[in-house]
Amino acid sequence: MGGSNFFVEVVLLCLILFPIYGFAERPLRFGKGGSFKILQVADMHYGDGKTTPCEDVFSYQMATCSDLNTTAFIRRMILAEKPDLIVFTGDNIFGYDVTDAAKSLEASFAPAIASNIPWAAVLGNHDQESALSREGVMKHIVKLKNTVSLVNPVEVHVIDGFGNYNLEVGGVEGSSFENKSVLNLYFLDSGDYSTIPSIPGYGWIKPSQQFWFERTSKRLQRAYMAKPEAQKGPAPGIAYFHIPLPEFSSFDSTNFTGVKQEGISSASVNSGFFTTMVSAGDVKAVFTGHDHLNDFCGELTGIQLCYAGGFGYHAYGKAGWARRARVVVVNLEKMEKGGWGAVKSIKTWKRLDDQHLTAIDGQVLWSKSSAGTRRKKQIGGT
């Protein structure tokens, strides 16, 4: 079967066999069990399907290893974790090795499309290296079934990049938080490469994007702290983008969970987005990709900075070091009168693409109780 025919058949099969519902009919919200689970897929580097070889695997694996291994891994993760949302954090396709960008995008996201689970995507630095521009890639993504991605905020006329948007996750249906966003997800385009000759290296999150983030965060906080069920502080936020911030360099093996096996490939300038998030006060964790051999989480000034680790088989990696995915589960607190309230905790772990989908590095990234304790210490000066 040719690579082109494979793409068409996979996508058509997905669309025919599985029911499709629009996002407007199914807003994101916590389930009756009081939890919301997110699967992060970083750096698929999808090419042309079964004709695209794997990178950095053992020699005995090469003959049968291709993009289809990436597809199989996504399917395994979806079946094992049953996430409420799937997030693709860029370098979804590897543009240089793609014959038809649109078809490769469709094939790369096919397991998410078939699952009937809402999914969101942002761009990396390789997605546009084929016939489609960054704008073209994002415009194609938002047309695909089950996606909750947006090209850019509808209320903003001028903003840098493509794929800046936010998603609100409502409380449990029938609870007093049903009409409130108890978890806010921010997605940003961290760019590809610098367009300023005197500044080499990768792109960064620009002032226009930070301004949009600040305004959006303030609006969401006002709504959350207004009646009914007025809250004393903001709902927790999570940010997803591709290129890590310079602050990811703040850690060593003594103060992170996971591994750091390569340098931090952030922009060569610090655009200040980390400070912007700290000032906003709602973001509790940031999740990126880009550096495939890093998969750690470290806490800095109240924000967890996390890598997912490399997922795709056509992406560079390390033979013997399993491809991996990150899972995040946000849990609500149980109310005294029964029912579910606000967010109680944010937890994470990773799964390896081995025989047992081994789960590793489980940790609590944020909890309402520990945050309250920190605030009391700061107020008390001890």
Side-chain angles (χ1 to χ4, degrees):
M1 185 190 302
S4 178
N5 290 336
F6 168 78
F7 287 140
V8 174
E9 290 181 17
V10 164
V11 175
L12 287 177
L13 187 64
C14 291
L15 299 182
I16 291 168
L17 293 181
F18 294 86
I20 300 300
Y21 302 93
F23 171 56
E25 298 173 35
R26 275 189 355 181
L28 300 179
R29 70 168 58 254
F30 281 76
K32 295 294 184 182
S35 67
F36 190 83
K37 183 184 286 187
I38 305 171
L39 166 63
Q40 181 189 359
V41 176
D43 298 270
M44 288 189 290
H45 280 232
Y46 209 91
D48 279 344
K50 72 174 185 179
T51 60
T52 299
C54 293
E55 299 285 341
D56 297 320
V57 295
F58 290 119
S59 56
Y60 68 85
Q61 298 173 301
M62 285 298 296
T64 58
C65 193
S66 71
D67 281 335
L68 302 193
N69 291 64
T70 302
T71 298
F73 185 21
I74 300 176
R75 287 182 179 140
R76 292 182 74 201
M77 286 299 303
I78 291 172
L79 289 172
E81 291 290 0
K82 299 176 176 61
D84 299 294
L85 177 69
I86 305 167
V87 176
F88 297 91
T89 49
D91 283 2
N92 308 298
I93 61 173
F94 189 70
Y96 284 129
D97 293 340
V98 162
T99 303
D100 185 319
K103 289 181 179 178
S104 288
L105 286 166
E106 290 159 16
S108 69
F109 297 127
I113 294 170
S115 72
N116 200 35
I117 295 168
W119 59 275
V122 294
L123 302 182
N125 54 294
H126 290 303
D127 292 288
Q128 78 293 336
E129 292 171 339
S130 184
L132 288 178
S133 64
R134 291 180 76 76
E135 181 179 11
V137 169
M138 206 65 213
K139 283 184 173 179
H140 190 75
I141 287 173
V142 302
K143 294 175 184 176
L144 300 178
K145 300 295 184 181
N146 289 330
T147 191
V148 290
S149 309
L150 294 174
V151 174
N152 269 328
V154 293
E155 75 277 9
V156 177
H157 298 297
V158 179
I159 189 168
D160 286 281
F162 302 95
N164 304 288
Y165 55 101
N166 70 288
L167 298 174
E168 302 177 19
V169 186
V172 175
E173 190 172 5
S175 74
S176 56
F177 285 80
E178 178 181 11
N179 296 317
K180 279 191 180 290
S181 177
V182 297
L183 174 68
N184 295 309
L185 307 178
Y186 301 100
F187 302 85
L188 296 105
D189 181 1
S190 54
D192 49 6
Y193 303 97
S194 170
T195 57
I196 301 173
S198 59
I199 301 177
Y202 293 108
W204 56 88
I205 295 171
K206 306 291 176 56
S208 64
Q209 297 166 278
Q210 297 187 46
F211 181 65
W212 164 78
F213 165 79
E214 288 177 307
R215 291 188 63 180
T216 304
S217 174
K218 287 177 181 176
R219 172 178 59 80
L220 292 168
Q221 291 187 43
R222 282 196 301 268
Y224 190 66
M225 293 187 277
K227 294 180 179 181
E229 293 293 338
Q231 301 298 297
K232 295 180 180 178
I238 295 175
Y240 287 98
F241 46 90
H242 181 70
I243 297 175
L245 302 172
E247 284 79 7
F248 274 68
S249 298
S250 303
F251 310 108
D252 57 41
S253 58
T254 66
N255 59 4
F256 65 61
T257 300
V259 298
K260 177 177 179 286
Q261 301 178 112
E262 62 176 309
I264 309 300
S265 298
S266 57
S268 60
V269 295
N270 192 328
S271 69
F273 186 53
F274 181 78
T275 304
T276 297
M277 288 190 291
V278 172
S279 299
D282 61 336
V283 172
K284 307 306 178 189
V286 170
F287 298 96
T288 68
H290 193 53
D291 299 326
H292 309 174
L293 298 181
N294 297 338
D295 72 354
F296 66 80
C297 281
E299 187 265 332
L300 182 66
T301 324
I303 298 179
Q304 294 279 352
L305 302 178
C306 299
Y307 281 106
F311 188 101
Y313 278 86
H314 186 51
Y316 76 84
K318 185 178 179 182
W321 193 70
R323 265 61 175 187
R324 57 204 58 212
R326 183 173 288 281
V327 180
V328 171
V329 172
V330 184
N331 293 304
L332 302 179
E333 60 184 351
K334 198 77 171 177
M335 306 285 277
E336 290 182 6
K337 299 178 181 179
W340 298 104
V343 171
K344 178 180 70 174
S345 65
I346 302 172
K347 300 177 181 179
T348 189
W349 60 88
K350 290 163 295 196
R351 280 193 185 268
L352 310 182
D353 191 19
D354 58 14
Q355 182 180 352
H356 304 290
L357 279 179
T358 304
I360 63 170
D361 293 339
Q363 62 183 124
V364 177
L365 296 178
W366 178 86
S367 69
K368 191 173 184 179
S369 57
S370 63
T373 302
R374 280 198 300 270
R375 280 197 297 271
K376 288 179 181 177
K377 286 183 177 180
Q378 289 169 353
I379 293 169
T382 58

